[in-house]
């Protein structure tokens, strides 16, 4: 019990240190961002005394350490500041935009796992055959496709030609879950396909290693079908390395939302971040980037925990299947 408490304390402290380092990097990057927010807000014709007044109002004339500590203190209480452009709290702005981005990212991750992992297992079970070669060629091709190009291709086929999905925009969850899911499905697919291709390749490699293990031969000798061996023995043993790949893919998926949301005219956190950078809306940029960092830190912790829960079971079954 004491060891578990020490491990949990170490986990919390290491994550807290990461958050502090990330907050410092985010703050420093905003300071280094070219352009004066006051000049952007007031326009190029603004008088120097007006710009100086706005600097004082926004707190931009304070020393950098004081600004950082003040921002850190507010952040600890959940106050991310006031948006320069929208004149509303950043936390409110983020919560409104997350209603689009969070389901979009969740759907994209779910689709990537649902498509990629079974496809990798299917290809591994048919290694060297024509279907394996065709699948691997398709996976390599999909991996090479940029998100925005996939988004345009999907829109052209499924929205403009077949009229199965809207070409862009989000009606809001108030119009019904079905309409919301329908609006997010194409953007989610555009985000998911390259990630699914990566997952399929790693799942295939991991499954091929597992298929060479002695306990797989034992399972087959017991008369288990190929499908049963794949789902009951190969899949659980192949998951830990695949989880590690998923943890690396989530930051890429989140960064991909910036492009895909703009292609599909979705007003999520990705498009908000792009707008805020263009308008030098520093509190919004800091809030968006910090939110992404927190999500990545939390998901890595969650996947590490899940991997540690799977590993003992995998090691326990290395001697062979129970049935």
């Amino acid at each position: 019990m004491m060891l578990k408490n020490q491990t949990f304390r170490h986990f919390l402290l290491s994550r807290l240190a990461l958050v502090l380092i990330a907050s410092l990097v985010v703050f420093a990057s905003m300071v280094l961002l070219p352009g004066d927010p006051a000049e952007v807000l007031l326009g190029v014709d603004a008088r120097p005394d007006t710009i100086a007044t706005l600097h004082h109002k926004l707190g931009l004339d304070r020393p950098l350490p004081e600004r950082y500590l003040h921002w850190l203190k507010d952040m600890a209480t959940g106050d991310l500041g006031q948006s320069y452009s929208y004149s509303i709290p950043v936390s409110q702005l983020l919560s409104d935009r997350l209603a689009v981005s969070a389901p979009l990212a969740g759907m994209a991750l779910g689709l990537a796992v649902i498509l990629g992992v079974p496809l990798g297992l299917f290809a591994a079970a048919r290694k060297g055959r024509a279907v394996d070669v065709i699948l691997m060629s398709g996976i390599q091709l999909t991996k090479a496709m940029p998100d925005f190009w996939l988004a345009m291709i999907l829109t052209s086929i499924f929205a403009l030609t077949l009229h199965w999905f809207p070409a862009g925009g989000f009606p809001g969850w108030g119009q019904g879950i079905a309409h919301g899911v329908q609006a997010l499905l194409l953007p989610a697919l555009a985000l998911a396909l390259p990630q699914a291709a990566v997952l399929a390749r790693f799942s295939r490699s991991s499954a091929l290693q597992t298929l060479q293990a002695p306990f797989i031969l034992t399972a087959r000798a017991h008369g288990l079908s190929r499908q049963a061996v794949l789902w009951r023995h190969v899949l659980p043993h192949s998951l830990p390395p695949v989880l590690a790949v998923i943890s690396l893919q989530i930051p890429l998926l989140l960064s991909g939302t910036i492009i895909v949301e703009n292609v599909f005219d979705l007003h999520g956190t990705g498009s908000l971040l792009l707008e805020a950078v263009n308008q030098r809306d520093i509190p919004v940029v800091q809030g968006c980037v910090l939110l992404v960092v927190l999500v990545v830190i939390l998901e890595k912790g969650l996947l590490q925990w899940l991997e540690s829960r799977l590993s003992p079971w995998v090691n326990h079954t290395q001697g062979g299947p129970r049935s």
Side-chain angles (χ1 to χ4, degrees):
M1 179 64 75
M2 183 177 293
L3 183 60
K4 284 186 176 180
N5 289 337
Q6 288 178 350
T7 305
F8 184 67
R9 195 180 302 121
H10 178 264
F11 175 83
L12 283 181
L13 289 175
S14 62
R15 264 51 188 180
L16 182 61
L18 276 176
V19 171
L20 285 174
I21 293 170
S23 70
L24 187 58
V25 172
V26 170
F27 181 83
S29 62
M30 291 306 99
V31 171
L32 295 174
L33 196 69
D36 185 344
E39 289 182 1
V40 173
L41 288 171
L42 296 173
V44 291
D45 299 329
R47 293 169 50 186
D49 58 332
T50 311
I51 292 175
T53 303
L54 188 56
H55 273 177
H56 181 70
K57 182 181 176 184
L58 298 177
L60 297 175
D61 55 348
R62 298 178 190 170
L64 288 179
E66 184 183 336
R67 284 170 55 190
Y68 172 67
L69 291 176
H70 183 73
W71 176 62
L72 205 59
K73 180 185 170 186
D74 287 345
M75 189 181 66
T77 61
D79 182 6
L80 297 177
Q82 193 91 353
S83 166
Y84 296 163
S85 307
Y86 293 91
S87 299
I88 60 173
V90 175
S91 54
Q92 181 186 337
L93 200 55
L94 283 178
S95 64
D96 292 342
R97 299 300 186 98
L98 274 175
V100 178
S101 294
L104 173 63
M107 285 173 66
L109 181 62
L111 284 171
V113 173
I114 290 171
L115 294 173
V117 174
L119 203 61
L121 289 181
F122 182 80
R126 291 156 182 80
K127 181 189 174 187
R129 299 182 188 176
V131 66
D132 178 36
V133 175
I134 293 171
L135 280 176
M136 286 301 102
S137 301
I139 285 169
Q140 291 296 339
L141 183 65
T142 307
K143 273 175 57 187
M145 293 181 183
D147 294 334
F148 73 91
W149 193 79
L150 264 175
M152 290 191 290
I153 292 292
L154 291 172
T155 303
S156 175
I157 296 174
F158 295 104
L160 301 179
T161 304
L162 298 175
H163 303 289
W164 290 354
F165 300 96
F170 182 70
W173 294 110
Q175 300 296 318
I177 294 177
H179 287 90
V181 170
Q182 190 183 24
L184 294 182
L185 196 54
L186 278 188
L189 203 56
L191 282 170
L193 284 178
Q195 310 305 326
V198 175
L199 275 182
R201 192 169 69 83
F202 277 92
S203 300
R204 178 180 179 273
S205 300
S206 183
L208 284 176
Q209 289 182 358
T210 307
L211 282 169
Q212 295 173 359
F215 67 88
I216 295 296
L217 295 176
T218 306
R220 287 179 174 168
H222 285 181
L224 287 180
S225 67
R226 184 168 61 181
Q227 294 299 322
V229 169
L230 276 177
W231 291 108
R232 293 173 59 180
H233 300 294
V234 176
L235 176 61
H237 287 78
S238 305
L239 276 182
V242 173
L243 287 175
V245 176
I246 291 175
S247 71
L248 296 175
Q249 283 184 295
I250 288 179
L252 298 175
L253 193 147
L254 292 175
S255 63
T257 59
I258 297 174
I259 298 170
V260 171
E261 284 181 3
N262 280 280
V263 172
F264 285 94
D265 193 27
L266 299 173
H267 298 287
T269 52
S271 60
L272 176 66
L273 177 60
L274 194 61
E275 291 170 15
V277 170
N278 289 332
Q279 296 167 355
R280 304 297 184 270
D281 197 341
I282 293 177
V284 175
V285 178
Q286 287 174 330
C288 288
V289 176
L290 201 63
L291 177 69
V292 172
V293 170
L294 288 176
V295 168
V296 170
I297 290 174
L298 286 175
E299 65 84 13
K300 283 192 179 298
L302 180 64
L303 288 175
Q304 280 179 1
W305 173 82
L306 192 58
E307 193 176 346
S308 68
R309 299 291 293 181
L310 278 173
S311 295
W313 183 83
V314 169
N315 292 334
H316 179 72
T317 57
Q318 285 291 333
R322 294 175 184 173
S323 61

